[in-house]
Amino acid sequence: MSIDEIIYRMLSARIFKNREKLRPDYVPEYLPHREAEINKLAEILAPAVRGVRPSNVFIYGLPGTGKTAVTKYVLRKIETYARNYSQDVKLKVAYINCRNENTSYRVLFNLCNYLNERVPFTGLSTAELFRRFIGALDKEKNLLFVVLDEVDFLVKVSGDDVLYKLTRINPDLHNAKVSIIGITNDLKFVEYLDPRVKSTLGEEELVFRPYTTEELADILADRAKQAFYEGVLDEAVIPLCATLAAREHGDARRALDLLRVAGEIAEREGSPKVLEDHARKAYREIEKDRAVEVIRSMPIHTKLITIAAYLVRRRKSEATTGEIYETYRSLCKKLMIDELTQRRVSDIINELDMLGIVNAKVVSKGRYGRTKIVNLAISEKALVEGLKNDLRLSTLILADSI
DNA sequence: CTTCCACAGGAACCAGCGGACC
DNA sequence: GGTCCGCTGGTTCCTGTGGAAG
């Protein structure tokens, strides 16, 4: 295919009307199947319209269950109302994603920025930064919403110190008020929170259930209308994307990603329509990317065990713990690395199972013992790709090709 | 019915490390 | 600047077990 052809295809493709509508951070005008959550959150936050400080809220839910979207949506509404109905109190919203801003300093730095308080992005102590933040905030009759998305990252990296201070800030303020909204998809998160923070932060709690397959289909249909040209989507695509995304739990982000990537593949292939096959390819592509990422970040022994499982599977129909362990040991010897015990390897195989890199299930072979049979759950391509930047390891795969 | 394989997986313990605390 | 503490990832030792073979 020549470059002219590629560009021509791109230009003539009539697939996406507006791709942005499928991006994970896009907040739509209408959020299907989250009415209950929207209402509940609105009820909690509504006092803000009259300038009264709402309770702090803590929102839980698995990834892709609409936590961020609902929060942004409700706050946007409340902001518009507040602008029209409450002149004396200024309502502000500071949205911070703690995955990126995961230190006390960066959170406070961002908060200062929201208040247009100029502070150096390094150099001050957090205590000083906090003082300046309070100063800037308290100058006016502000009502500030601090949205801490993925707040578990902040706590994991920097502890709950800022959180503690933020939740206790109100008595120190004369004019302003602060209300905190914490969002997390780590359901065990509260366990490692200081109980004092827990009680103030969790004045109100909201739990978001995963979407069902049907609900995902509705969401996709709604977005697809805005994102694709009419008639471009084959009717089987949306149900398929919904089903694929619902395999683990109803994750709307995944579902939307699938739909978007399916569209992109169709576009690349120069197809006038997005077909079922494109969705399947999209699924494979996304899975592969995820697997590659996981493999890349694995410690050396875990990588070796994955390779061992792959090698055993290549010469036999099924791999057992014992065989994998033997192969793993010979790999270790080749690389002159100390080997782990079988006990640990058994655990690592379980970890790999959890990560979706292998499928392991325990079976009893009667007289011939009880073991796990292990299958690789990822493609050879993904494995090679994941090991690409470690030359020693990737040659192992090729070297042993008997 | 018993035996016995080839591990599973629990319990206790240990080394190393970062962070709090004096 | 030592020390204490909790956590992670590892080891050692151990008991438990499903079911084909005998």
Side-chain angles (χ1 to χ4, degrees), chain A residues 4-38:
Chain A
D4 303 288
E5 270 177 294
I6 293 173
I7 290 170
Y8 178 73
R9 267 191 188 182
M10 209 33 131
L11 287 174
S12 61
R14 301 270 298 167
I15 298 279
F16 287 111
K17 188 162 62 183
N18 187 349
R19 195 182 311 234
E20 294 309 307
K21 306 268 174 176
L22 295 177
R23 296 257 174 233
D25 48 356
Y26 170 74
V27 181
E29 278 309 306
Y30 167 63
L31 291 160
H33 302 293
R34 282 288 108 116
E35 294 81 6
E37 286 78 3
I38 291 174

PDB file of all heavy atoms in Angstrom, chain A residues 4-38:
ATOM      1  N   ASP A   4       0.052   7.321  -0.615  1.00  0.00           N
ATOM      2  CA  ASP A   4      -1.121   8.021  -1.152  1.00  0.00           C
ATOM      3  C   ASP A   4      -2.393   7.258  -0.827  1.00  0.00           C
ATOM      4  O   ASP A   4      -3.399   7.826  -0.438  1.00  0.00           O
ATOM      5  CB  ASP A   4      -0.991   8.153  -2.671  1.00  0.00           C
ATOM      6  CG  ASP A   4       0.283   8.873  -3.045  1.00  0.00           C
ATOM      7  OD1 ASP A   4       0.333  10.086  -2.822  1.00  0.00           O
ATOM      8  OD2 ASP A   4       1.233   8.197  -3.503  1.00  0.00           O
ATOM      9  N   GLU A   5      -2.271   5.936  -0.975  1.00  0.00           N
ATOM     10  CA  GLU A   5      -3.444   5.100  -0.688  1.00  0.00           C
ATOM     11  C   GLU A   5      -3.853   5.216   0.770  1.00  0.00           C
ATOM     12  O   GLU A   5      -5.030   5.337   1.081  1.00  0.00           O
ATOM     13  CB  GLU A   5      -3.119   3.643  -1.008  1.00  0.00           C
ATOM     14  CG  GLU A   5      -3.441   3.256  -2.438  1.00  0.00           C
ATOM     15  CD  GLU A   5      -3.029   1.829  -2.690  1.00  0.00           C
ATOM     16  OE1 GLU A   5      -1.800   1.571  -2.654  1.00  0.00           O
ATOM     17  OE2 GLU A   5      -3.893   0.970  -2.880  1.00  0.00           O
ATOM     18  N   ILE A   6      -2.834   5.166   1.643  1.00  0.00           N
ATOM     19  CA  ILE A   6      -3.122   5.233   3.076  1.00  0.00           C
ATOM     20  C   ILE A   6      -3.848   6.537   3.399  1.00  0.00           C
ATOM     21  O   ILE A   6      -4.877   6.557   4.076  1.00  0.00           O
ATOM     22  CB  ILE A   6      -1.816   5.147   3.903  1.00  0.00           C
ATOM     23  CG1 ILE A   6      -1.201   3.770   3.747  1.00  0.00           C
ATOM     24  CG2 ILE A   6      -2.091   5.446   5.369  1.00  0.00           C
ATOM     25  CD1 ILE A   6       0.165   3.609   4.363  1.00  0.00           C
ATOM     26  N   ILE A   7      -3.301   7.609   2.862  1.00  0.00           N
ATOM     27  CA  ILE A   7      -3.904   8.902   3.160  1.00  0.00           C
ATOM     28  C   ILE A   7      -5.274   9.022   2.509  1.00  0.00           C
ATOM     29  O   ILE A   7      -6.227   9.525   3.119  1.00  0.00           O
ATOM     30  CB  ILE A   7      -2.956  10.040   2.731  1.00  0.00           C
ATOM     31  CG1 ILE A   7      -1.756  10.026   3.676  1.00  0.00           C
ATOM     32  CG2 ILE A   7      -3.656  11.378   2.753  1.00  0.00           C
ATOM     33  CD1 ILE A   7      -0.621  10.902   3.277  1.00  0.00           C
ATOM     34  N   TYR A   8      -5.379   8.492   1.317  1.00  0.00           N
ATOM     35  CA  TYR A   8      -6.670   8.546   0.644  1.00  0.00           C
ATOM     36  C   TYR A   8      -7.729   7.802   1.453  1.00  0.00           C
ATOM     37  O   TYR A   8      -8.836   8.278   1.660  1.00  0.00           O
ATOM     38  CB  TYR A   8      -6.547   7.944  -0.763  1.00  0.00           C
ATOM     39  CG  TYR A   8      -7.862   7.927  -1.486  1.00  0.00           C
ATOM     40  CD1 TYR A   8      -8.424   9.115  -1.980  1.00  0.00           C
ATOM     41  CD2 TYR A   8      -8.580   6.737  -1.646  1.00  0.00           C
ATOM     42  CE1 TYR A   8      -9.648   9.098  -2.618  1.00  0.00           C
ATOM     43  CE2 TYR A   8      -9.798   6.718  -2.279  1.00  0.00           C
ATOM     44  CZ  TYR A   8     -10.342   7.894  -2.767  1.00  0.00           C
ATOM     45  OH  TYR A   8     -11.556   7.880  -3.388  1.00  0.00           O
ATOM     46  N   ARG A   9      -7.335   6.635   1.923  1.00  0.00           N
ATOM     47  CA  ARG A   9      -8.253   5.848   2.747  1.00  0.00           C
ATOM     48  C   ARG A   9      -8.728   6.632   3.950  1.00  0.00           C
ATOM     49  O   ARG A   9      -9.886   6.632   4.317  1.00  0.00           O
ATOM     50  CB  ARG A   9      -7.547   4.591   3.264  1.00  0.00           C
ATOM     51  CG  ARG A   9      -7.760   3.417   2.380  1.00  0.00           C
ATOM     52  CD  ARG A   9      -7.279   2.191   3.102  1.00  0.00           C
ATOM     53  NE  ARG A   9      -7.308   1.067   2.193  1.00  0.00           N
ATOM     54  CZ  ARG A   9      -6.972  -0.169   2.533  1.00  0.00           C
ATOM     55  NH1 ARG A   9      -6.569  -0.418   3.752  1.00  0.00           N
ATOM     56  NH2 ARG A   9      -7.047  -1.140   1.662  1.00  0.00           N
ATOM     57  N   MET A  10      -7.733   7.278   4.596  1.00  0.00           N
ATOM     58  CA  MET A  10      -8.042   8.045   5.793  1.00  0.00           C
ATOM     59  C   MET A  10      -9.045   9.140   5.474  1.00  0.00           C
ATOM     60  O   MET A  10     -10.002   9.356   6.193  1.00  0.00           O
ATOM     61  CB  MET A  10      -6.735   8.646   6.318  1.00  0.00           C
ATOM     62  CG  MET A  10      -6.712   8.860   7.795  1.00  0.00           C
ATOM     63  SD  MET A  10      -7.652   7.631   8.669  1.00  0.00           S
ATOM     64  CE  MET A  10      -6.516   7.156   9.887  1.00  0.00           C
ATOM     65  N   LEU A  11      -8.791   9.803   4.342  1.00  0.00           N
ATOM     66  CA  LEU A  11      -9.638  10.943   3.980  1.00  0.00           C
ATOM     67  C   LEU A  11     -11.044  10.490   3.586  1.00  0.00           C
ATOM     68  O   LEU A  11     -12.024  11.166   3.866  1.00  0.00           O
ATOM     69  CB  LEU A  11      -8.999  11.719   2.824  1.00  0.00           C
ATOM     70  CG  LEU A  11      -7.772  12.536   3.213  1.00  0.00           C
ATOM     71  CD1 LEU A  11      -7.124  13.133   1.977  1.00  0.00           C
ATOM     72  CD2 LEU A  11      -8.152  13.634   4.187  1.00  0.00           C
ATOM     73  N   SER A  12     -11.082   9.336   2.941  1.00  0.00           N
ATOM     74  CA  SER A  12     -12.389   8.915   2.441  1.00  0.00           C
ATOM     75  C   SER A  12     -13.179   8.141   3.491  1.00  0.00           C
ATOM     76  O   SER A  12     -14.337   7.839   3.294  1.00  0.00           O
ATOM     77  CB  SER A  12     -12.221   8.071   1.184  1.00  0.00           C
ATOM     78  OG  SER A  12     -11.478   6.924   1.517  1.00  0.00           O
ATOM     79  N   ALA A  13     -12.510   7.793   4.594  1.00  0.00           N
ATOM     80  CA  ALA A  13     -13.195   7.013   5.618  1.00  0.00           C
ATOM     81  C   ALA A  13     -14.335   7.831   6.203  1.00  0.00           C
ATOM     82  O   ALA A  13     -14.165   8.989   6.577  1.00  0.00           O
ATOM     83  CB  ALA A  13     -12.214   6.620   6.708  1.00  0.00           C
ATOM     84  N   ARG A  14     -15.453   7.209   6.263  1.00  0.00           N
ATOM     85  CA  ARG A  14     -16.599   7.894   6.853  1.00  0.00           C
ATOM     86  C   ARG A  14     -17.096   7.053   8.009  1.00  0.00           C
ATOM     87  O   ARG A  14     -18.168   6.476   7.977  1.00  0.00           O
ATOM     88  CB  ARG A  14     -17.708   8.072   5.810  1.00  0.00           C
ATOM     89  CG  ARG A  14     -17.293   8.866   4.593  1.00  0.00           C
ATOM     90  CD  ARG A  14     -17.550  10.335   4.783  1.00  0.00           C
ATOM     91  NE  ARG A  14     -18.975  10.567   4.973  1.00  0.00           N
ATOM     92  CZ  ARG A  14     -19.464  11.736   5.414  1.00  0.00           C
ATOM     93  NH1 ARG A  14     -18.638  12.711   5.727  1.00  0.00           N
ATOM     94  NH2 ARG A  14     -20.760  11.905   5.552  1.00  0.00           N
ATOM     95  N   ILE A  15     -16.246   6.921   8.987  1.00  0.00           N
ATOM     96  CA  ILE A  15     -16.595   6.087  10.123  1.00  0.00           C
ATOM     97  C   ILE A  15     -16.960   6.973  11.317  1.00  0.00           C
ATOM     98  O   ILE A  15     -18.095   6.986  11.771  1.00  0.00           O
ATOM     99  CB  ILE A  15     -15.414   5.167  10.518  1.00  0.00           C
ATOM    100  CG1 ILE A  15     -15.051   4.218   9.373  1.00  0.00           C
ATOM    101  CG2 ILE A  15     -15.742   4.413  11.793  1.00  0.00           C
ATOM    102  CD1 ILE A  15     -15.914   2.997   9.255  1.00  0.00           C
ATOM    103  N   PHE A  16     -15.987   7.759  11.748  1.00  0.00           N
ATOM    104  CA  PHE A  16     -16.216   8.570  12.948  1.00  0.00           C
ATOM    105  C   PHE A  16     -16.757   9.950  12.605  1.00  0.00           C
ATOM    106  O   PHE A  16     -16.164  10.677  11.817  1.00  0.00           O
ATOM    107  CB  PHE A  16     -14.900   8.763  13.704  1.00  0.00           C
ATOM    108  CG  PHE A  16     -14.424   7.544  14.417  1.00  0.00           C
ATOM    109  CD1 PHE A  16     -13.295   6.876  13.987  1.00  0.00           C
ATOM    110  CD2 PHE A  16     -15.109   7.070  15.522  1.00  0.00           C
ATOM    111  CE1 PHE A  16     -12.847   5.747  14.651  1.00  0.00           C
ATOM    112  CE2 PHE A  16     -14.666   5.945  16.192  1.00  0.00           C
ATOM    113  CZ  PHE A  16     -13.534   5.281  15.758  1.00  0.00           C
ATOM    114  N   LYS A  17     -17.849  10.255  13.249  1.00  0.00           N
ATOM    115  CA  LYS A  17     -18.365  11.621  13.162  1.00  0.00           C
ATOM    116  C   LYS A  17     -17.626  12.455  14.203  1.00  0.00           C
ATOM    117  O   LYS A  17     -17.242  13.584  13.953  1.00  0.00           O
ATOM    118  CB  LYS A  17     -19.867  11.594  13.441  1.00  0.00           C
ATOM    119  CG  LYS A  17     -20.584  12.888  13.204  1.00  0.00           C
ATOM    120  CD  LYS A  17     -22.093  12.638  13.070  1.00  0.00           C
ATOM    121  CE  LYS A  17     -22.679  12.041  14.344  1.00  0.00           C
ATOM    122  NZ  LYS A  17     -24.118  11.725  14.194  1.00  0.00           N
ATOM    123  N   ASN A  18     -17.462  11.840  15.375  1.00  0.00           N
ATOM    124  CA  ASN A  18     -16.769  12.523  16.463  1.00  0.00           C
ATOM    125  C   ASN A  18     -16.171  11.512  17.424  1.00  0.00           C
ATOM    126  O   ASN A  18     -16.814  11.027  18.343  1.00  0.00           O
ATOM    127  CB  ASN A  18     -17.750  13.441  17.211  1.00  0.00           C
ATOM    128  CG  ASN A  18     -17.035  14.293  18.223  1.00  0.00           C
ATOM    129  OD1 ASN A  18     -15.854  14.079  18.523  1.00  0.00           O
ATOM    130  ND2 ASN A  18     -17.742  15.244  18.768  1.00  0.00           N
ATOM    131  N   ARG A  19     -14.923  11.226  17.178  1.00  0.00           N
ATOM    132  CA  ARG A  19     -14.221  10.202  17.951  1.00  0.00           C
ATOM    133  C   ARG A  19     -14.137  10.551  19.444  1.00  0.00           C
ATOM    134  O   ARG A  19     -14.129   9.691  20.297  1.00  0.00           O
ATOM    135  CB  ARG A  19     -12.821  10.075  17.373  1.00  0.00           C
ATOM    136  CG  ARG A  19     -12.054   8.867  17.781  1.00  0.00           C
ATOM    137  CD  ARG A  19     -10.672   8.906  17.173  1.00  0.00           C
ATOM    138  NE  ARG A  19     -10.716   9.190  15.744  1.00  0.00           N
ATOM    139  CZ  ARG A  19     -10.137   8.420  14.815  1.00  0.00           C
ATOM    140  NH1 ARG A  19      -9.485   7.368  15.190  1.00  0.00           N
ATOM    141  NH2 ARG A  19     -10.211   8.733  13.544  1.00  0.00           N
ATOM    142  N   GLU A  20     -14.064  11.842  19.728  1.00  0.00           N
ATOM    143  CA  GLU A  20     -13.881  12.297  21.115  1.00  0.00           C
ATOM    144  C   GLU A  20     -14.943  11.752  22.053  1.00  0.00           C
ATOM    145  O   GLU A  20     -14.702  11.560  23.233  1.00  0.00           O
ATOM    146  CB  GLU A  20     -13.899  13.822  21.178  1.00  0.00           C
ATOM    147  CG  GLU A  20     -12.725  14.473  20.468  1.00  0.00           C
ATOM    148  CD  GLU A  20     -11.394  13.876  20.905  1.00  0.00           C
ATOM    149  OE1 GLU A  20     -11.151  13.843  22.116  1.00  0.00           O
ATOM    150  OE2 GLU A  20     -10.628  13.423  20.028  1.00  0.00           O
ATOM    151  N   LYS A  21     -16.128  11.502  21.486  1.00  0.00           N
ATOM    152  CA  LYS A  21     -17.235  11.051  22.342  1.00  0.00           C
ATOM    153  C   LYS A  21     -16.996   9.656  22.900  1.00  0.00           C
ATOM    154  O   LYS A  21     -17.732   9.190  23.748  1.00  0.00           O
ATOM    155  CB  LYS A  21     -18.537  11.055  21.530  1.00  0.00           C
ATOM    156  CG  LYS A  21     -18.842  12.367  20.869  1.00  0.00           C
ATOM    157  CD  LYS A  21     -19.707  13.229  21.734  1.00  0.00           C
ATOM    158  CE  LYS A  21     -19.879  14.596  21.095  1.00  0.00           C
ATOM    159  NZ  LYS A  21     -20.778  15.462  21.834  1.00  0.00           N
ATOM    160  N   LEU A  22     -15.997   8.974  22.395  1.00  0.00           N
ATOM    161  CA  LEU A  22     -15.701   7.635  22.912  1.00  0.00           C
ATOM    162  C   LEU A  22     -14.498   7.636  23.841  1.00  0.00           C
ATOM    163  O   LEU A  22     -14.093   6.609  24.349  1.00  0.00           O
ATOM    164  CB  LEU A  22     -15.455   6.660  21.758  1.00  0.00           C
ATOM    165  CG  LEU A  22     -16.644   6.384  20.847  1.00  0.00           C
ATOM    166  CD1 LEU A  22     -16.238   5.462  19.722  1.00  0.00           C
ATOM    167  CD2 LEU A  22     -17.790   5.760  21.628  1.00  0.00           C
ATOM    168  N   ARG A  23     -13.911   8.803  24.025  1.00  0.00           N
ATOM    169  CA  ARG A  23     -12.738   8.871  24.925  1.00  0.00           C
ATOM    170  C   ARG A  23     -13.193   8.654  26.359  1.00  0.00           C
ATOM    171  O   ARG A  23     -14.282   9.074  26.749  1.00  0.00           O
ATOM    172  CB  ARG A  23     -12.063  10.240  24.815  1.00  0.00           C
ATOM    173  CG  ARG A  23     -11.495  10.501  23.451  1.00  0.00           C
ATOM    174  CD  ARG A  23     -10.004  10.332  23.436  1.00  0.00           C
ATOM    175  NE  ARG A  23      -9.526  10.461  22.061  1.00  0.00           N
ATOM    176  CZ  ARG A  23      -8.770   9.560  21.467  1.00  0.00           C
ATOM    177  NH1 ARG A  23      -8.389   8.476  22.099  1.00  0.00           N
ATOM    178  NH2 ARG A  23      -8.377   9.732  20.219  1.00  0.00           N
ATOM    179  N   PRO A  24     -12.338   8.026  27.152  1.00  0.00           N
ATOM    180  CA  PRO A  24     -12.753   7.713  28.526  1.00  0.00           C
ATOM    181  C   PRO A  24     -13.018   8.940  29.394  1.00  0.00           C
ATOM    182  O   PRO A  24     -13.807   8.873  30.327  1.00  0.00           O
ATOM    183  CB  PRO A  24     -11.580   6.908  29.082  1.00  0.00           C
ATOM    184  CG  PRO A  24     -10.475   6.997  28.102  1.00  0.00           C
ATOM    185  CD  PRO A  24     -11.030   7.476  26.805  1.00  0.00           C
ATOM    186  N   ASP A  25     -12.393  10.051  29.069  1.00  0.00           N
ATOM    187  CA  ASP A  25     -12.584  11.213  29.953  1.00  0.00           C
ATOM    188  C   ASP A  25     -13.723  12.130  29.494  1.00  0.00           C
ATOM    189  O   ASP A  25     -13.965  13.159  30.101  1.00  0.00           O
ATOM    190  CB  ASP A  25     -11.265  12.003  30.082  1.00  0.00           C
ATOM    191  CG  ASP A  25     -10.627  12.272  28.731  1.00  0.00           C
ATOM    192  OD1 ASP A  25     -11.160  11.779  27.717  1.00  0.00           O
ATOM    193  OD2 ASP A  25      -9.597  12.960  28.684  1.00  0.00           O
ATOM    194  N   TYR A  26     -14.397  11.753  28.446  1.00  0.00           N
ATOM    195  CA  TYR A  26     -15.514  12.575  27.988  1.00  0.00           C
ATOM    196  C   TYR A  26     -16.725  12.370  28.890  1.00  0.00           C
ATOM    197  O   TYR A  26     -17.099  11.243  29.211  1.00  0.00           O
ATOM    198  CB  TYR A  26     -15.856  12.200  26.538  1.00  0.00           C
ATOM    199  CG  TYR A  26     -17.131  12.812  26.043  1.00  0.00           C
ATOM    200  CD1 TYR A  26     -17.183  14.170  25.732  1.00  0.00           C
ATOM    201  CD2 TYR A  26     -18.283  12.044  25.912  1.00  0.00           C
ATOM    202  CE1 TYR A  26     -18.368  14.736  25.304  1.00  0.00           C
ATOM    203  CE2 TYR A  26     -19.465  12.605  25.477  1.00  0.00           C
ATOM    204  CZ  TYR A  26     -19.508  13.953  25.174  1.00  0.00           C
ATOM    205  OH  TYR A  26     -20.669  14.513  24.757  1.00  0.00           O
ATOM    206  N   VAL A  27     -17.307  13.461  29.351  1.00  0.00           N
ATOM    207  CA  VAL A  27     -18.501  13.351  30.194  1.00  0.00           C
ATOM    208  C   VAL A  27     -19.727  13.701  29.370  1.00  0.00           C
ATOM    209  O   VAL A  27     -19.906  14.845  28.968  1.00  0.00           O
ATOM    210  CB  VAL A  27     -18.423  14.285  31.411  1.00  0.00           C
ATOM    211  CG1 VAL A  27     -19.662  14.122  32.278  1.00  0.00           C
ATOM    212  CG2 VAL A  27     -17.178  13.992  32.219  1.00  0.00           C
ATOM    213  N   PRO A  28     -20.585  12.730  29.116  1.00  0.00           N
ATOM    214  CA  PRO A  28     -21.726  12.959  28.235  1.00  0.00           C
ATOM    215  C   PRO A  28     -22.832  13.756  28.915  1.00  0.00           C
ATOM    216  O   PRO A  28     -22.833  13.928  30.136  1.00  0.00           O
ATOM    217  CB  PRO A  28     -22.198  11.542  27.909  1.00  0.00           C
ATOM    218  CG  PRO A  28     -21.771  10.717  29.060  1.00  0.00           C
ATOM    219  CD  PRO A  28     -20.521  11.351  29.595  1.00  0.00           C
ATOM    220  N   GLU A  29     -23.779  14.201  28.118  1.00  0.00           N
ATOM    221  CA  GLU A  29     -24.918  14.959  28.630  1.00  0.00           C
ATOM    222  C   GLU A  29     -25.877  14.061  29.404  1.00  0.00           C
ATOM    223  O   GLU A  29     -26.675  14.526  30.202  1.00  0.00           O
ATOM    224  CB  GLU A  29     -25.683  15.590  27.457  1.00  0.00           C
ATOM    225  CG  GLU A  29     -25.065  16.887  26.973  1.00  0.00           C
ATOM    226  CD  GLU A  29     -24.833  17.853  28.119  1.00  0.00           C
ATOM    227  OE1 GLU A  29     -25.805  18.141  28.851  1.00  0.00           O
ATOM    228  OE2 GLU A  29     -23.683  18.288  28.298  1.00  0.00           O
ATOM    229  N   TYR A  30     -25.796  12.808  29.084  1.00  0.00           N
ATOM    230  CA  TYR A  30     -26.768  11.886  29.648  1.00  0.00           C
ATOM    231  C   TYR A  30     -26.045  10.610  30.048  1.00  0.00           C
ATOM    232  O   TYR A  30     -25.284  10.048  29.268  1.00  0.00           O
ATOM    233  CB  TYR A  30     -27.849  11.614  28.589  1.00  0.00           C
ATOM    234  CG  TYR A  30     -28.749  10.455  28.886  1.00  0.00           C
ATOM    235  CD1 TYR A  30     -29.575  10.479  30.006  1.00  0.00           C
ATOM    236  CD2 TYR A  30     -28.808   9.359  28.041  1.00  0.00           C
ATOM    237  CE1 TYR A  30     -30.407   9.416  30.284  1.00  0.00           C
ATOM    238  CE2 TYR A  30     -29.641   8.284  28.311  1.00  0.00           C
ATOM    239  CZ  TYR A  30     -30.439   8.321  29.429  1.00  0.00           C
ATOM    240  OH  TYR A  30     -31.256   7.259  29.695  1.00  0.00           O
ATOM    241  N   LEU A  31     -26.245  10.188  31.288  1.00  0.00           N
ATOM    242  CA  LEU A  31     -25.562   8.990  31.779  1.00  0.00           C
ATOM    243  C   LEU A  31     -26.586   7.893  32.048  1.00  0.00           C
ATOM    244  O   LEU A  31     -27.218   7.877  33.100  1.00  0.00           O
ATOM    245  CB  LEU A  31     -24.823   9.298  33.076  1.00  0.00           C
ATOM    246  CG  LEU A  31     -23.605  10.206  32.969  1.00  0.00           C
ATOM    247  CD1 LEU A  31     -23.287  10.817  34.322  1.00  0.00           C
ATOM    248  CD2 LEU A  31     -22.415   9.434  32.464  1.00  0.00           C
ATOM    249  N   PRO A  32     -26.741   6.988  31.114  1.00  0.00           N
ATOM    250  CA  PRO A  32     -27.763   5.950  31.285  1.00  0.00           C
ATOM    251  C   PRO A  32     -27.453   5.054  32.475  1.00  0.00           C
ATOM    252  O   PRO A  32     -26.290   4.789  32.757  1.00  0.00           O
ATOM    253  CB  PRO A  32     -27.671   5.135  29.986  1.00  0.00           C
ATOM    254  CG  PRO A  32     -26.823   5.932  29.053  1.00  0.00           C
ATOM    255  CD  PRO A  32     -25.969   6.808  29.894  1.00  0.00           C
ATOM    256  N   HIS A  33     -28.488   4.617  33.149  1.00  0.00           N
ATOM    257  CA  HIS A  33     -28.393   3.632  34.240  1.00  0.00           C
ATOM    258  C   HIS A  33     -27.594   4.117  35.445  1.00  0.00           C
ATOM    259  O   HIS A  33     -27.117   3.309  36.222  1.00  0.00           O
ATOM    260  CB  HIS A  33     -27.820   2.316  33.728  1.00  0.00           C
ATOM    261  CG  HIS A  33     -28.636   1.744  32.615  1.00  0.00           C
ATOM    262  ND1 HIS A  33     -29.906   1.288  32.806  1.00  0.00           N
ATOM    263  CD2 HIS A  33     -28.376   1.605  31.297  1.00  0.00           C
ATOM    264  CE1 HIS A  33     -30.396   0.865  31.651  1.00  0.00           C
ATOM    265  NE2 HIS A  33     -29.480   1.056  30.720  1.00  0.00           N
ATOM    266  N   ARG A  34     -27.422   5.392  35.564  1.00  0.00           N
ATOM    267  CA  ARG A  34     -26.783   5.894  36.779  1.00  0.00           C
ATOM    268  C   ARG A  34     -27.661   6.940  37.438  1.00  0.00           C
ATOM    269  O   ARG A  34     -27.186   7.748  38.226  1.00  0.00           O
ATOM    270  CB  ARG A  34     -25.396   6.486  36.454  1.00  0.00           C
ATOM    271  CG  ARG A  34     -24.320   5.411  36.242  1.00  0.00           C
ATOM    272  CD  ARG A  34     -23.946   4.756  37.565  1.00  0.00           C
ATOM    273  NE  ARG A  34     -24.466   3.401  37.633  1.00  0.00           N
ATOM    274  CZ  ARG A  34     -23.751   2.300  37.710  1.00  0.00           C
ATOM    275  NH1 ARG A  34     -22.456   2.359  37.740  1.00  0.00           N
ATOM    276  NH2 ARG A  34     -24.311   1.125  37.790  1.00  0.00           N
ATOM    277  N   GLU A  35     -28.975   6.866  37.125  1.00  0.00           N
ATOM    278  CA  GLU A  35     -29.906   7.853  37.671  1.00  0.00           C
ATOM    279  C   GLU A  35     -29.895   7.835  39.192  1.00  0.00           C
ATOM    280  O   GLU A  35     -29.851   8.883  39.835  1.00  0.00           O
ATOM    281  CB  GLU A  35     -31.334   7.605  37.161  1.00  0.00           C
ATOM    282  CG  GLU A  35     -31.536   7.821  35.672  1.00  0.00           C
ATOM    283  CD  GLU A  35     -31.090   6.623  34.832  1.00  0.00           C
ATOM    284  OE1 GLU A  35     -30.728   5.566  35.422  1.00  0.00           O
ATOM    285  OE2 GLU A  35     -31.078   6.740  33.590  1.00  0.00           O
ATOM    286  N   ALA A  36     -29.919   6.627  39.746  1.00  0.00           N
ATOM    287  CA  ALA A  36     -29.989   6.504  41.204  1.00  0.00           C
ATOM    288  C   ALA A  36     -28.764   7.158  41.840  1.00  0.00           C
ATOM    289  O   ALA A  36     -28.883   7.927  42.803  1.00  0.00           O
ATOM    290  CB  ALA A  36     -30.076   5.036  41.607  1.00  0.00           C
ATOM    291  N   GLU A  37     -27.593   6.874  41.279  1.00  0.00           N
ATOM    292  CA  GLU A  37     -26.349   7.419  41.827  1.00  0.00           C
ATOM    293  C   GLU A  37     -26.306   8.935  41.670  1.00  0.00           C
ATOM    294  O   GLU A  37     -25.888   9.650  42.578  1.00  0.00           O
ATOM    295  CB  GLU A  37     -25.141   6.786  41.133  1.00  0.00           C
ATOM    296  CG  GLU A  37     -24.851   5.355  41.532  1.00  0.00           C
ATOM    297  CD  GLU A  37     -25.763   4.347  40.858  1.00  0.00           C
ATOM    298  OE1 GLU A  37     -26.609   4.747  40.017  1.00  0.00           O
ATOM    299  OE2 GLU A  37     -25.644   3.145  41.176  1.00  0.00           O
ATOM    300  N   ILE A  38     -26.752   9.401  40.508  1.00  0.00           N
ATOM    301  CA  ILE A  38     -26.767  10.843  40.266  1.00  0.00           C
ATOM    302  C   ILE A  38     -27.653  11.536  41.291  1.00  0.00           C
ATOM    303  O   ILE A  38     -27.270  12.538  41.897  1.00  0.00           O
ATOM    304  CB  ILE A  38     -27.254  11.142  38.825  1.00  0.00           C
ATOM    305  CG1 ILE A  38     -26.205  10.678  37.817  1.00  0.00           C
ATOM    306  CG2 ILE A  38     -27.562  12.622  38.654  1.00  0.00           C
ATOM    307  CD1 ILE A  38     -26.630  10.795  36.383  1.00  0.00           C
TER     308      ILE A  38
END
